[in-house]
Amino acid sequence: MLIVTTEHVAGHEITASLGLVRGATVRAKHLGTDIVAALKMLVGGELTGYSSLMAGAREQALDRMAAEAEALGADAIVSMRMQTSAITRGASEIVAYGTAVKLSR
């Protein structure tokens, strides 16, 4: 599935818009990750546990969005965006969304 943040796909014409597609996931921190992060904050540096958690959440949201587009018969997703919001203390939602389209061949 071709996914772009632009309104057009270079070299292709959009022949049909199939509608909004989205994928979401909610992830919570693990107590062990919090402990390591608290220690890391004393000395500074990247909080790799959180970085890994969010990277996995973004990939899952993208995969779910692409699966929804494939179910519609889309060739691509244009105008893709991602949004993150806090659900509760320690849990975040990641949403990927865009427009599923058919492309000229």
Side-chain angles (χ1 to χ4, degrees):
M1 178 65 55
L2 181 60
I3 301 172
V4 298
T5 58
T6 57
E7 294 178 17
H8 304 284
V9 178
H12 296 277
E13 179 183 342
I14 294 174
T15 59
S17 176
L18 304 175
L20 175 70
V21 289
R22 63 188 165 269
T25 186
V26 176
R27 297 285 179 100
K29 299 183 292 183
H30 181 275
L31 179 61
T33 304
D34 281 347
I35 292 169
V36 172
L39 294 173
K40 186 71 167 187
M41 284 190 272
L42 295 173
V43 295
E46 181 181 6
L47 302 176
T48 55
Y50 292 152
S51 294
S52 176
L53 176 72
M54 295 308 288
R58 284 189 295 272
E59 287 303 313
Q60 186 172 43
L62 284 170
D63 289 346
R64 289 176 176 177
M65 178 187 64
E68 189 173 311
E70 286 175 8
L72 293 175
D75 298 317
I77 299 169
V78 298
S79 301
M80 192 283 298
R81 303 288 184 263
M82 287 193 132
Q83 184 174 353
T84 303
S85 59
I87 300 297
T88 73
R89 186 170 184 219
S92 294
E93 177 187 41
I94 307 290
V95 179
Y97 60 95
T99 302
V101 297
K102 294 291 281 180
L103 300 175
S104 61
R105 295 280 170 183

